[in-house]
Amino acid sequence: NLAYDTGSSALLDNVMEALSPQDGDFIRSQTEFSQYLDGTGWLGSLSQMEIGHSYQIKLNSSDELWFAGNPVDLSSTQIGYEAGWTWIGYLPRKILPVNDALQNLNAGHGDRIKSQSQFAEYDNNSGNWIGSLQYMQPGEGFLLRSATGGVFTYSNPILNSKSGSGSDFSGQTKQMLLSTGPEWIVYPSDYEHSMNMIGIL
C-alpha cells in the first residue's frame, strides 16, 4: 500500500530495499507477482508498484517496511475500481471510520470491503457500511467488491470528515480499535485468502 508521492508508480526494488528478504519471499498484486532469489533479487512480472493499489507479501521472517516522502494529495489521487473485486490501498495518514473514508465512493447495496481479518457491506437503506470492519488505517490494503466500476477519492480527514473523527488517535485508542473482536485467536498471516459471512442466529 503506497501512500507517499512517488509519481504514479515506484520500482519494486526501490520500495523493497529496506527489507531483508530471503530466498522464496513473494509479493503479488492483483494481476502480477515477483519472487526473491538469493544472489539475483526480485524476479517476476511485478516490477512497478502503483499508488492506490494494495499488495500481498509472504515473508519467511517478520520484517518492517518504512516509507519516507511527501504524502499523496488525497483530493487529486483517484482510486480506480472494476466491477467485481479490486485490490485498493488506503492513502489517508489517519485512522478513519469506514463511512468517513469511503464517503466519496458511489457504493451500491451489497458492495463489500475486506481487510485481512474484517469486512463491511454497504446498506442502501441506512447509507452506511455495516460489519466488523469499522475503521480503515494507514499501512493496510483492502479488497473492494463493487457491482459497478468507477473511481473515487479518499475523504480528507481534516476537511471532509462527517463526524470530525479525522483527528489523530492516541496509541491507546489505536490499540483498542485493533483489539476488538472474538475471544479466540486467529492469525490472518497463516492464511492466503480471507472469507466473510453474514448470518442470523
Side-chain angles (χ1 to χ4, degrees), residues 13-108:
D13 288 335
N14 293 343
V15 175
M16 306 297 276
E17 66 183 357
L19 289 180
S20 300
Q22 299 177 26
D23 195 54
D25 286 351
F26 186 87
I27 185 170
R28 69 179 178 184
S29 69
Q30 191 168 3
T31 57
E32 299 175 309
F33 77 95
S34 282
Q35 188 167 14
Y36 187 81
L37 299 177
D38 283 339
T40 303
W42 293 97
L43 291 176
S45 57
L46 178 60
S47 60
Q48 301 268 349
M49 299 184 76
E50 306 288 334
I51 291 176
H53 293 211
S54 66
Y55 301 86
Q56 293 182 346
I57 187 167
K58 181 179 184 293
L59 301 174
N60 289 301
S61 299
S62 297
D63 208 338
E64 289 185 340
L65 185 60
W66 293 87
F67 298 104
N70 297 318
V72 297
D73 181 357
L74 297 178
S75 63
S76 65
T77 305
Q78 294 186 327
I79 307 294
Y81 60 97
E82 305 291 332
W85 290 101
T86 304
W87 296 14
I88 62 171
Y90 180 67
L91 303 183
R93 293 182 299 146
K94 298 178 184 293
I95 297 174
L96 287 176
V98 175
N99 288 312
D100 286 1
L102 299 180
Q103 67 182 5
N104 297 330
L105 175 69
N106 186 22

Side-chain angles (χ1 to χ4, degrees), residues 74 90-92 94-105 113 129 134-137 142 152-157 160-163 165:
L74 297 178
Y90 180 67
L91 303 183
K94 298 178 184 293
I95 297 174
L96 287 176
V98 175
N99 288 312
D100 286 1
L102 299 180
Q103 67 182 5
N104 297 330
L105 175 69
I113 187 164
W129 293 89
Q134 297 179 18
Y135 294 90
M136 298 176 76
Q137 65 179 338
F142 298 88
F152 75 98
T153 57
Y154 278 107
S155 172
N156 187 311
N160 299 328
S161 178
K162 292 179 183 176
S163 61
S165 53

